[in-house]
Amino acid sequence: MAKESVESGLTWEVRANSRPYHKHKQKKSFLCFHWGRYADNLVCSYKYSPLTFLPLTLFEQFQRVANLYFLLMVVLQCVPVISSIPWYITIIPLLSVLSARGLKDLANDLTRRRSDTEINSRPCDVLLSQSFSTMQWKDLFVGDVLRIHKDQVIPADILLLCSSEPHSLCYVETADIDGETNLKYRQALSATHNELTSHPTEEALAAFDGVVLCEEPNNRLYTFRGQLHWRRECLLLDHEHILLRGTVLRNTEFAYGLTIYTGADTKILRNCGKLRVKRTQTEKVFNRLVMGIVLSVLLAALLLAIGSGVFSSWVMSNTGVLSALVVNGNPAYTGFLIFWSYIILLSPAMPIALYITFELIHTVHSLFIGWDMEMYWQPADRPAQARNTSMSEELGQVGYLLSDKTGTLTQNRLLFRQCCIAGEIYGDASVLAEDTEPMDLSWNPFSCGGLFMSATSLVEKLRGQQCPLSRQFLTALALCHTVMAEWKEEAPVYQAASPDEEALVGAARELGWVFLSRTRDFIVVSELGVTRQYQLLALLDFTSQRRCMSVLVREPEGGLKLYCKGADIVILERLQKDCPYQERIERSLELFAQACLRTLCVAVRSVPEASWEQWSKTLAQSAAMATCDRDVLLEKLYDQMERDLQLLGVTAIEDRLQEGVPETIALLKQAGLKVWVLTGDKKETAVNIGYSCKLLDPDTRLLEWHELREILQSPDPGVSFFKARQTELWAVDKGRDGEKTAVVLTGPELAEFDQRPEWGATFMSLAEQCQSVLCCRVTPGQKADIVTLVRKHTSSVTMSIGDGANDVNMIKTAHVGVGIAGVEGGQAVQNADFALSQFRFLQRLLLVHGRWSYRRISLFLRYFLFKTCGFALVHIWFGIFNGCSAQSLYETWFIALYTVFYTATPIMLVAFFEQDVSAESSLKWPELYKSGQRQELSSPLMLSLSLLYAVYASLVLFFIPFGVFYDTAVDYQTMAVTVAMAATFTATIEIVLVTRYWTKFNIASVCVSVVLFFICTRITHNPRLFQKSPQDYLFLGVSDKAFVDPLVWLTALLTAWMAVLPSVTALALNVILTVHDKHKVHSASHQPVELRSKLRRGTSLRRSSYALSQGAGPGRFITSGTCSRSTAPPVDEKMTSNNNPTDSQGQINMKDNSDAPNGTQ
Amino acid sequence: MGRTKKMVKEELANRPDNTAFTQQRLPAWQPMLSAGIVIPGFVIIGLAFIGIGVALFVTSQSIQLLELDYTGVEQTSPCFKCSDPNAKNCMCELTFSTDTLFKGPVFFYYGLSNYFQNYRSYGVSKDDDQLSGNLDNFKSPSDTCAPYEYDRNNKPFVPCGAVANSLFNDTFKLYQIVNGAKKVVPLDGKGISWWTDYNIKYRNPAVTPLKNAFNGTVKPLYWSKPAYELDPSDPANNGFINQDFLVWMRRAALPDFRKLYRRITDGDYAEGLPAGNYSLQIAYNYPVLSFEGRKKVVFSNVSWMGGKNEFLGIAYLVIGSLCVVMSVVMLIVYAKFKFPEEE
């Protein structure tokens, strides 16, 4: 047996009720050694323990090259022979950086620890020696038998053994896994059900000694392969028997299960992806530049060292005063020491203050995001939150927005808004659902609200028994569905596999046609208070190919009726000839579609007794046939039955979008973002939402997989794509039609990309020309794969937004992850970089905060580069004139204070407050956002230009004073003060040029910085300080003379002006040339709304769909009778008694699901 | 009323503050630049620079300057004989004449070129504690003075270090030749150093007589006289506060430099040096040829901007003109962009 199982890949062995066995094999680790097989159920996302904190945090921090570099500088400065600057100038900032980062990490880790503890200590009932006792999640082991209560979150992946419901059925909500909120059915094996429910449950469970052999833990959510070996029987297991961690048990008192995968082995955690440290694009470019600077500094130091060696040997050849100063009389050794001295001397070009300030600015930007009133969601008292505080500028560069659907774009609330019966339209969808006048439905005892349609005329007609068509329409709604009714407090509560159906049945209830209960053979409906029992003869279930479903019922009066509902294309082609009102109904279909409503056609047919008898016979025969033939036959049979229909009307359902979604998407599209939707939901739903949230235009051509595949396989994809677009005849405006294409893909189709990696690039280049891409029925892992695909083949910044656990992986994978803080706390938020309460806040987050932040940080980086390099590189030029001796041109105090006091605050305030346009204008002209996507301000070219400018400035800073002071009596210290003054003036003028938004703080800080230069210089030149420590304050008295010397002032002014001249000129030219650009921005925003031609007709506009959950409809549960519950009114009781799964293959078995495209892999 | 307010506050604990700062609505001045501001701005700045440049240039032109190289490289030079490194106590004499009155006060500099006083290890080779009169550092100078810390007998140099050791030791005497006779031009050596250097930075130890402080020490290697005998004529001008020593210790910024030697302010020459012939007697001690250096003396008078400096004035003129030219270019560009139809 064991061998067999190894061969089939079933190597994961779980023995029920044998704790010691599994405990022995539990995964353990010490340092980097791991052993054991089964993970424990402990979620552990924190990194540090009190012991490991210090070494780990230091290790992590010194992985940053910058920190290591600064440490090297400190070490070098401690060596007296080469120390050109005192050591304390670098070590204090370094220590503060290290401790600040360490504390931040610690705080983050503590939060993580807290949330881990919260999850790990959730209670669950574990069977221990004959009875259930409450334990914490973390104490759970593989092989434990659990009892899950109603509404409890399932703590691990478990095998359902039995439940408190008939036939050991149970319902789970998988919203956290696939985003679908409708309930899913899971059923235990009949063997375990029969054996374990017959005895007192606990004893039977304690005696359960089955062994599960299954596949190793993996991330495939919708498959499971395994066997249960029990009582010498081998029972096959699939995913229908498994309850996944993170799902919620609903409508089931108790479910009993055997733990199979725990903790890190569970499918959802396997789907979570790895936590990776995110670096922003700007940071990456900048880091590369820093590396460049460091390398240039090394090169310059090397050249200067060589120069120094040459100079030393020249000095040695003479008998001058300097010759004795050559260290050890060895020019090469002198050069070696000078090399290090120059590295120290030039290190302020890349000061540590940069990193501190960078961090600080990020933090402030994050605070601004949290403080924004416009992103504060009052109903939940929740402001926006920047969880990752170092990403804000990335928000200004997003090129691809990959969005989840359920809970992100939609509220997942379906409302019955309109209907058209017999050509008459009821309800008005142009009124907001909340604003509809509530109808007086007090006559209906079952009414419990939830109908957002005002149609008193319909109610009058119905109650007045005037219109038989409308009565039939509602009967169809009340009969043709797979909804279950559960009785709670004297009213039916509907459990539907599809939210659409729930909305339809609910609407029928409000209007007086109340679906009361169903058994295998009967459906009980109260029609305006009259209880009628319909015999259910057949249920022709929904599949995504058929796109419709029907019920064949015998009316209490004895007549046979087929009620059918489905997508309009399907129904309209099956109508009887000369169907009344058809034209008017078709027009209403278009109207509903324009209002972005989801439509369904409802039709009826009276079936003659004779044809039914014949049909049912054939059906019974075909049901007994082999699988593949049977499916084809069944399809045909259904086809025979669903014809000559009489059209009753159309229903229109609104899939409620989150507030402001269409506006936001339209704005983001204008801003140049590509919005993709990735959802685990059905294709129909996704496409529909695509239209209703203005992601797709009404005339957008959908490119489906088979077309796309042809294009991808063709030798020249670009041409084929163009041709594919050309086939659309209505595309009059050829220049624009490229944008009017969207790709729709589903999960299994995407899986083909794994086999054909070369398609990725082609696909992305096509997708770039498309309006959008919709990916439906994708697993969390696939969502992440799509993000990776986009990241790999474009240089754009990707952003993922989602709300559920199924989005965690993609949120982690994207450059920027945004979590929507929904009704539930949400794992998405836990893993996101930013948390929002509403999708519409995204526009402000991106267009306002992102844009500003990007601009501010780019300005900051460029200015910082300029001021530090410009100031430090002076030493290279000075080196040429001092024998390359690593002589500093500045007082050491000036080097220390320049970056901290004289130039730090103004740029910091610019990085805090700068606004080129106001928030309102940013939203008004979303085109402004595009400059961030193109990285206009932070491209390597721009940063290199700043660097070049800095080199120029350093040349000016040295050579103008050099020219002035050459061959004069001015001493070194006066020249040092002059150059320092010029450097400060240059930095100040430059910041004045950079600042466009002068708050009082900016003005004050610029003034204070300059004043501070004079004050601090006077202080460090103070005689008293010199007397205290002559070594450190050698410049005493210099500023007394220099600050009153006109020559010094004139030189400094000239130098500063000359240094900033390129910048001033560029600004001036910019002012002169951009006059016209501003007009462009204004005119671009007033583009006239496109008026589309009336050419589009037919199906391209209509969006009629009927979508069920992934996989097949629940019809088989209904027809097999396993779902009927004894909570229904008395009529049911005698029915339930003969409900036995064994005779479920009775005369009218409608098992048609076997061919249902079980799209999930 | 107050209660409801409190309730609301409690309920909305996370509500952000609605202040101008948190909402990024701080009142701000956003200067809107336009061509109407930028171009005239450039013109004004350019004109201002040209103005300053003209003033500087004119001032610089009015300054009289006389430079005399006495290195003695050329055989014709009167100091040629002294340029031999083996010559001891060599004296040479330079004659020059002025056609007009050299307006006073005349500053008398000596200049050195290709002399790297800004060499780092040269610059740090001194003991600031010793120079501020700390007797402990007389006995054991700081190791920054290396290699001029101790002599061969392990006696400390005072003052130690390379800077002090290389003190410029040429001396000059200036005579006006009146009717063939030499008339001494009095040179004023007082107050040629910085006030802070003389009064704070350099102090002699509080020992009288000064000589006693130097017991157990030796004079620097290249010095002919110990520090306490630098100026035999004025006992107060000895030790570390000797004016020439102070001037020398204030390091030059660049390899070509001048240092103030004396001022001519006294007696008949307070108004300046009258036209006539002069003779400069030089005690040639300082070797510069070994490192291809040059020595010169410079006579100059000063203005508000210090000594003669043509570079600054010209630089101001160039940059000022550049700004004006640029404004013209901008005007053309602007005209082209503003009225493209008319082009």
Side-chain angles (χ1 to χ4, degrees), chain A residues 318 371 373 378 856 881 885-887 915 964 966-967 971-973 997-998 1034 1050 1058 1068 1076, chain B residues 11 13-16 23-26 29 38 118 120 201 250-251 256 258 290 296 309 316 319 337:
Chain A
N318 309 307
W371 283 335
M373 284 293 287
Q378 189 148 336
R856 291 167 183 173
F881 296 94
S885 60
Q887 173 65 49
Q915 304 178 7
V964 175
Y966 194 77
D967 198 16
D971 66 304
Y972 157 75
Q973 291 187 336
Y997 191 78
W998 288 94
L1034 280 174
L1050 287 171
M1058 177 99 178
H1076 293 267
Chain B
E11 275 167 26
N14 296 325
R15 186 191 175 92
Q23 301 311 309
Q24 307 197 55
R25 290 183 189 286
L26 284 175
W29 173 58
V38 169
N118 57 10
R120 192 174 78 90
K201 200 168 176 182
R250 184 151 282 280
R251 290 160 63 206
D256 287 14
R258 298 170 195 173
S290 64
K296 65 183 174 190
N309 201 327
Y316 262 98
I319 290 173
F337 264 82

Side-chain angles (χ1 to χ4, degrees), chain B residues 327-338:
Chain B
S327 62
V328 173
V329 171
M330 277 178 214
L331 196 65
I332 295 168
V333 170
Y334 179 65
K336 272 202 174 171
F337 264 82
K338 178 124 198 215

Side-chain angles (χ1 to χ4, degrees), chain A residues 80-84 308 311-312 314 318-322 324-325 334 341 368 370-374 376 378 381-383 844 849 852 856 878 880-888 912-913 915-917 920 958-975 996-1001 1003 1023 1026-1027 1030-1031 1034 1036-1038 1040-1041 1045-1047 1049-1051 1053-1054 1057-1058 1061 1064-1065 1067-1069 1071-1073 1075-1076 1078, chain B residues 10-18 21-35 38-39 42 45 49 52 56 67 109 111-112 114-116 118-129 132 142 144 146-148 162 165-166 193-197 199-202 222 250-260 286 289-292 296 304-306 308-309 311-312 315-316 319 322-323 326 329-331 333-334 337-338 340:
Chain A
V81 202
I82 54 175
S83 140
S84 42
S308 152
F311 183 81
S312 301
W314 173 76
N318 309 307
T319 51
V321 66
L322 293 178
L325 292 169
T334 307
S341 301
F368 277 137
W371 283 335
D372 196 334
M373 284 293 287
E374 313 250 321
Y376 168 72
Q378 189 148 336
D381 184 30
R382 201 181 286 135
R844 207 172 156 84
H849 288 279
W852 278 349
R856 291 167 183 173
F878 187 44
I880 300 171
F881 296 94
N882 63 22
C884 305
S885 60
Q887 173 65 49
S888 162
F912 291 164
F913 300 130
Q915 304 178 7
D916 53 341
V917 292
E920 290 73 30
F958 177 71
F959 280 101
I960 289 199
F962 172 82
V964 175
F965 296 143
Y966 194 77
D967 198 16
T968 62
V970 175
D971 66 304
Y972 157 75
Q973 291 187 336
T974 307
M975 175 154 168
R996 300 284 164 76
Y997 191 78
W998 288 94
T999 65
K1000 53 190 172 190
F1001 301 110
I1003 297 169
F1026 172 81
Q1027 280 158 351
Q1031 299 288 346
L1034 280 174
L1036 83 152
V1038 181
D1040 304 7
K1041 279 176 85 87
D1045 188 346
L1047 188 72
W1049 278 94
L1050 287 171
T1051 311
L1053 279 178
L1054 177 75
W1057 178 248
M1058 177 99 178
L1061 200 57
V1064 177
T1065 315
L1067 177 76
L1069 284 175
V1071 165
I1072 289 166
L1073 298 180
V1075 176
H1076 293 267
K1078 267 183 192 153
Chain B
E10 273 167 19
E11 275 167 26
L12 304 174
N14 296 325
R15 186 191 175 92
D17 291 339
N18 192 2
F21 176 72
T22 56
Q23 301 311 309
Q24 307 197 55
R25 290 183 189 286
L26 284 175
W29 173 58
Q30 287 175 278
M32 287 306 288
L33 291 176
S34 68
V38 169
I39 297 173
F42 254 79
I45 292 173
F49 269 62
I52 297 173
L56 282 171
E67 277 189 22
Y109 304 90
L112 292 169
N114 207 21
Y115 191 104
F116 289 83
N118 57 10
Y119 197 75
R120 192 174 78 90
S121 43
Y122 173 88
V124 296
S125 183
K126 57 177 178 161
D127 183 348
D128 292 299
D129 284 313
S132 55
S142 152
T144 53
Y148 302 102
N165 186 39
S166 60
S193 70
W194 286 28
W195 187 89
T196 44
D197 288 354
N199 292 293
I200 300 155
K201 200 168 176 182
Y202 296 88
Y222 295 176
R250 184 151 282 280
R251 290 160 63 206
L254 297 163
D256 287 14
F257 60 88
R258 298 170 195 173
K259 282 183 186 289
L260 187 57
Y286 206 71
L289 280 177
S290 64
F291 53 90
E292 295 159 33
K296 65 183 174 190
W304 57 270
M305 56 168 283
K308 193 177 179 75
N309 201 327
F311 178 88
L312 194 61
Y316 262 98
I319 290 173
L322 197 68
C323 289
M326 222 123 67
V329 171
M330 277 178 214
L331 196 65
V333 170
Y334 179 65
F337 264 82
K338 178 124 198 215

Side-chain angles (χ1 to χ4, degrees), chain A residues 695-868:
Chain A
L695 185 60
L696 310 176
D697 292 332
D699 50 359
T700 298
R701 171 170 151 65
L702 295 182
L703 200 63
E704 305 223 9
W705 176 242
H706 57 93
E707 293 168 280
L708 184 71
R709 195 192 162 117
E710 272 170 37
I711 294 170
L712 289 175
Q713 280 171 337
S714 69
D716 192 349
V719 172
S720 311
F721 178 63
F722 189 67
K723 274 186 192 153
R725 279 171 7 201
Q726 294 290 308
T727 53
E728 281 300 289
L729 286 173
W730 49 264
V732 187
D733 190 354
K734 276 179 189 163
R736 235 174 239 159
D737 60 351
E739 293 171 14
K740 298 283 178 190
T741 314
V743 177
V744 184
L745 292 177
T746 62
E749 294 159 2
L750 271 166
E752 281 190 47
F753 274 96
D754 294 341
Q755 276 110 54
R756 308 288 293 268
E758 73 274 10
W759 282 0
T762 327
F763 172 68
M764 278 313 298
S765 67
L766 293 185
E768 213 140 320
Q769 299 175 54
C770 290
Q771 211 173 20
S772 174
V773 173
L774 304 176
C775 299
C776 329
R777 296 165 75 182
V778 288
T779 60
Q782 278 181 321
K783 286 186 180 181
D785 291 344
I786 297 165
V787 178
T788 318
L789 186 79
V790 178
R791 280 187 71 149
K792 197 170 149 195
H793 296 290
T794 64
S795 54
S796 304
V797 174
T798 55
M799 172 188 255
S800 293
I801 180 165
D803 73 321
N806 57 334
D807 306 316
V808 168
N809 203 342
M810 89 173 171
I811 284 173
K812 281 183 184 171
T813 314
H815 290 109
V816 191
V818 179
I820 300 281
V823 189
E824 291 157 55
Q827 271 191 288
V829 169
Q830 288 291 324
N831 291 286
D833 302 312
F834 297 92
L836 296 178
S837 304
Q838 291 281 302
F839 183 81
R840 70 189 148 94
F841 293 162
L842 204 58
Q843 49 177 295
R844 207 172 156 84
L845 186 70
L846 290 175
L847 299 185
V848 178
H849 288 279
R851 212 184 78 82
W852 278 349
S853 184
Y854 171 68
R855 212 187 125 75
R856 291 167 183 173
I857 282 179
S858 305
L859 287 178
F860 163 76
L861 287 180
R862 282 165 51 191
Y863 175 77
F864 217 94
L865 272 184
F866 168 73
K867 74 161 188 176
T868 57

Side-chain angles (χ1 to χ4, degrees), chain A residues 14-33:
Chain A
V14 178
R15 297 183 186 182
N17 287 319
S18 55
R19 252 186 178 228
Y21 169 78
H22 297 287
K23 204 166 189 172
H24 177 66
K25 285 193 167 186
Q26 196 163 37
K27 222 174 247 175
K28 289 189 182 78
S29 68
F30 180 73
L31 295 177
C32 45
F33 302 102

